[in-house]
Amino acid sequence: MSNSDYASQKLTAVMRRIKHASERSGRACDAVKLIGASKKQSIELITRFVEQGLTDLGENYLQEAIDKQCQSPSLEVDWHFIGQIQSNKTKAIAKHFNWVHGVDRLKIAKRLSQHVAEFNANLDDEHEYKPPINLLVQLNPDNERTKGGIALGDAPELCRRISELENVALRGFMMIPQARENEDEQRKVFASAAKLLEQINQAQGIHLDHLSMGMSGDLEAAIAEGSTMVRIGTDLFGARS
Ligand SMILES: *Cc1c(COP(=O)(O)O)cnc(C)c1O
């Protein structure tokens, strides 16, 4: 099978899962965006998926992502940074991505805000104007040390502080919960993020509109609880090299 046929089949299969899960929970079929989690996948393969209609790519490793962008500058996609963020990398992240999913410190959001302001103050060409970067605060519902993110109880304050910054647009939450024993339990953890988002919107009068949750193994449970972005690696591209 050619890489194009492979990409077409895999993309169709994942889109069908998203559609079924959306329908089952009475949500519009375009309410959930598919992000291809493309770490460790070749730019050749990724390009075939984009040709078949994939519009968003999520990368974990900054240098790997920059290499891919350089190899394929004409790839028209939205780039999402979904890895752990080191504060000394924020400038390059601001330059190369439209979405940053793993924000868990005010310092990171402040730096990203500042970098966008600096880019826009030094433009040679106004077409290069950089719009605000979309941020998602990462939640860590299982309190795992190996993962980034904050406790749910700390989210209201961090959101409040970030939403005061210019040049960044706080959009919602991202999380990577542990696998639960069954789908009901899996849904509960996703539901807790959705509920928190509602509460913060009401209490703070802001409009967070995205939940980045759901991966290959749990996208159905995430969509049932209101996910708006699923990040799919293995079930889309295949095993990572
Ligand atoms: C790798 C990765 C994914 C995709 O995981 P799969 O299980 O391969 O679908 C999603 N989100 C993040 C943050 C990842 O690092």
Side-chain angles (χ1 to χ4, degrees):
M1 186 169 27
S2 75
N3 270 348
S4 293
D5 291 342
Y6 175 81
S8 165
Q9 279 189 13
K10 288 288 210 179
L11 188 60
T12 304
V14 170
M15 292 305 290
R16 195 170 290 148
R17 272 176 73 188
I18 293 173
K19 183 167 172 276
H20 283 163
S22 303
E23 282 171 358
R24 249 195 301 157
S25 41
R27 303 184 57 208
C29 63
D30 60 353
V32 183
K33 191 190 277 291
L34 170 62
I35 300 175
S38 46
K39 59 176 178 273
K40 309 271 172 72
Q41 305 288 354
S42 73
I43 190 66
E44 289 74 24
L45 185 64
I46 295 167
T47 304
R48 299 290 88 78
F49 277 81
V50 173
E51 288 164 358
Q52 298 299 325
L54 183 63
T55 57
D56 291 74
L57 294 173
E59 288 281 340
N60 292 65
Y61 307 107
L62 182 60
Q63 194 53 53
E64 182 186 330
I66 294 173
D67 289 346
K68 285 171 178 165
Q69 291 180 1
C70 290
Q71 283 168 25
S72 211
S74 59
L75 218 53
E76 287 210 10
V77 293
D78 276 336
W79 290 91
H80 301 249
F81 191 76
I82 62 174
Q84 294 213 21
I85 306 162
Q86 294 166 272
S87 60
N88 63 346
K89 303 278 174 65
T90 50
K91 187 166 185 181
I93 291 173
K95 181 164 178 212
H96 291 271
F97 292 86
N98 326 90
W99 287 81
V100 180
H101 289 226
V103 178
D104 57 8
R105 282 168 288 163
L106 183 62
K107 178 182 174 189
I108 298 290
K110 274 187 174 166
R111 292 181 66 116
L112 291 169
S113 161
Q114 211 175 343
H115 297 313
V116 176
E118 285 160 11
F119 290 142
N120 288 339
N122 297 301
L123 289 186
D124 301 325
D125 173 351
E126 66 185 52
H127 293 109
E128 289 168 9
Y129 172 82
K130 197 162 176 64
I133 302 181
N134 298 294
L135 305 188
L136 298 169
V137 163
Q138 184 173 353
L139 303 175
N140 188 340
D142 303 312
N143 229 331
E144 292 174 275
R145 287 225 213 112
T146 53
K147 291 178 186 165
I150 58 170
L152 273 67
D154 294 334
E157 176 65 8
L158 182 58
C159 288
R160 193 180 64 72
R161 303 287 297 271
I162 293 177
S163 61
E164 288 167 354
L165 300 173
E166 292 177 29
N167 308 304
V168 292
L170 181 63
R171 303 298 296 272
F173 298 131
M174 173 270 210
M175 70 158 137
I176 317 171
Q178 283 177 343
R180 302 299 200 258
E181 275 175 24
N182 55 53
E183 177 147 344
D184 270 1
E185 291 301 314
Q186 199 71 50
R187 281 180 61 162
K188 277 186 197 158
V189 63
F190 291 129
S192 66
K195 187 170 162 216
L196 181 62
L197 187 112
E198 278 298 308
Q199 285 171 346
I200 290 177
N201 279 342
Q202 290 202 351
Q204 301 187 16
I206 55 179
H207 184 60
L208 306 181
D209 59 349
H210 278 284
L211 289 166
S212 168
M213 49 191 204
M215 311 190 358
S216 293
D218 57 13
L219 80 88
E220 281 81 7
I223 290 175
E225 297 300 340
S227 169
T228 64
M229 296 179 166
V230 291
R231 309 174 311 270
I232 311 299
T234 317
D235 283 3
L236 188 62
F237 300 108
R240 290 181 270 277
S241 51

